[in-house]
Amino acid sequence: AMEGVPPAASPAGLSAYVAVSQLLGLMLLATTGAWLGRYRGGVAWHSPLQFNVHPLCMVLGMVFLQGDALLVYRVFRNEAKRSVKALHALLHGLALAIALVGIVAVFESHRTKGIPDMYSLHSWCGMAAFVLYLLQWLLGCGFFLFPGASFSLRARYKPQHVFSGIALFTLSITACLLGITEMLLFNIRDSYSRFVPEGVLANTLGVLLVAFGLVVGYVLTQDDWKRPPLPEELALSMDFKTLTEGESPGGGS
């Protein structure tokens, strides 16, 4: 970076892409709500509508909030790293909690209606995404949020953490697409091929899911949009490295 350039400015294009991602995210939630409300009777817990809690929670938690949690390092480029890290962990934790409600809803709904569990490709991919996401969150908290992990261990784990984050986000969207298809084939198998409004709306939701994933993925993979380390962080990480690795014998106040 050049000396005279103030660090506060976001790179050209970043804000626009983030804004588009949020617009797509809100459209995702609105479309999910419209589908469940207009064609599937709405959402309720202790009722035959309990199943509908599942798609709503999965889209909100495993897609929208997970995507936003991935974006915080790009959006809050000039805030203290520790605060951004805490927000990143908090959003992922909230996504997990909401997804858990969605998983409980589908299992309880199946039990009430006598439907077997975990036989479909959707359920396999979805459960894998949730379990691995929980594991990723626990490992992330252990390595990066709580003190104790050495600098070299963090440095070695970070590329795996970043890759796993993008992979799990992709798997979550894939599971949602499989779930939408499954719901349509269960509910409107006979009329789906005639382009009925419910089928078109649900297909639109699928396209929005893909679009949200692509925009978030694009923001995450632009090297010049990555969060630059603040000067004090660089100094701190060198001190931390010295402390944990014992690379220099002393010094520092």
Side-chain angles (χ1 to χ4, degrees):
M2 285 161 58
E3 287 291 317
V5 178
S10 273
L14 174 60
S15 302
Y17 274 91
V18 169
V20 169
S21 77
Q22 296 314 287
L23 184 63
L24 286 167
L26 294 173
M27 286 167 70
L28 267 182
L29 296 175
T31 309
T32 307
W35 178 21
L36 297 173
R38 179 104 172 71
Y39 297 103
R40 294 288 118 222
V43 173
W45 191 257
H46 291 298
S47 88
L49 299 174
Q50 186 174 20
F51 174 83
N52 293 345
V53 174
H54 176 71
L56 188 63
C57 284
M58 286 352 220
V59 170
L60 173 59
M62 296 296 287
V63 180
F64 184 55
L65 286 176
Q66 182 177 178
D68 275 7
L70 296 176
L71 288 176
V72 295
Y73 285 109
R74 305 292 179 275
V75 174
F76 301 105
R77 300 167 56 77
N78 303 299
E79 321 304 320
K81 180 84 173 272
R82 184 141 189 96
S83 309
V84 182
K85 205 185 282 188
L87 179 63
H88 178 73
L90 187 70
L91 283 173
H92 279 310
L94 188 60
L96 274 164
I98 291 170
L100 184 60
V101 172
I103 289 173
V104 170
V106 76
F107 277 106
E108 281 199 4
S109 168
H110 280 182
R111 198 182 65 231
T112 311
K113 296 174 181 172
I115 299 170
D117 292 314
M118 296 303 300
Y119 65 88
S120 69
L121 179 59
H122 162 67
S123 63
W124 289 19
C125 289
M127 193 53 83
F130 178 77
V131 170
L132 292 170
Y133 188 38
L134 176 60
L135 187 65
Q136 161 92 341
W137 186 71
L138 292 170
L139 284 169
C141 287
F143 275 98
F144 301 115
L145 206 56
F146 303 117
S150 75
F151 189 84
S152 66
L153 202 57
R154 285 182 181 196
R156 274 206 299 274
Y157 176 63
K158 193 182 171 188
Q160 275 72 36
H161 182 75
V162 171
F163 169 78
S164 301
I166 293 178
L168 286 170
F169 182 56
T170 307
L171 180 58
S172 301
I173 290 173
T174 304
C176 286
L177 296 176
L178 289 166
I180 290 167
T181 304
E182 200 173 286
M183 255 181 92
L184 290 172
L185 292 178
F186 282 150
N187 293 318
I188 59 164
R189 185 186 291 118
D190 300 328
S191 58
Y192 188 23
S193 61
R194 296 199 295 275
F195 288 90
V196 290
E198 181 178 354
V200 173
L201 183 67
N203 286 357
T204 303
L205 173 58
V207 172
L208 286 170
L209 281 162
V210 172
F212 179 73
L214 288 173
V215 173
V216 170
Y218 183 78
V219 172
L220 293 176
T221 50
Q222 297 308 295
D223 278 343
D224 50 341
W225 290 356
K226 285 194 166 71
R227 185 182 195 279
L230 303 177
E232 61 269 27
E233 285 164 21
L234 283 172
L236 194 67
S237 75
M238 283 317 295
D239 285 349
F240 186 70
K241 198 173 161 66
T242 303
L243 278 170
T244 54
E245 310 300 316
E247 278 171 10
S248 70
S253 48

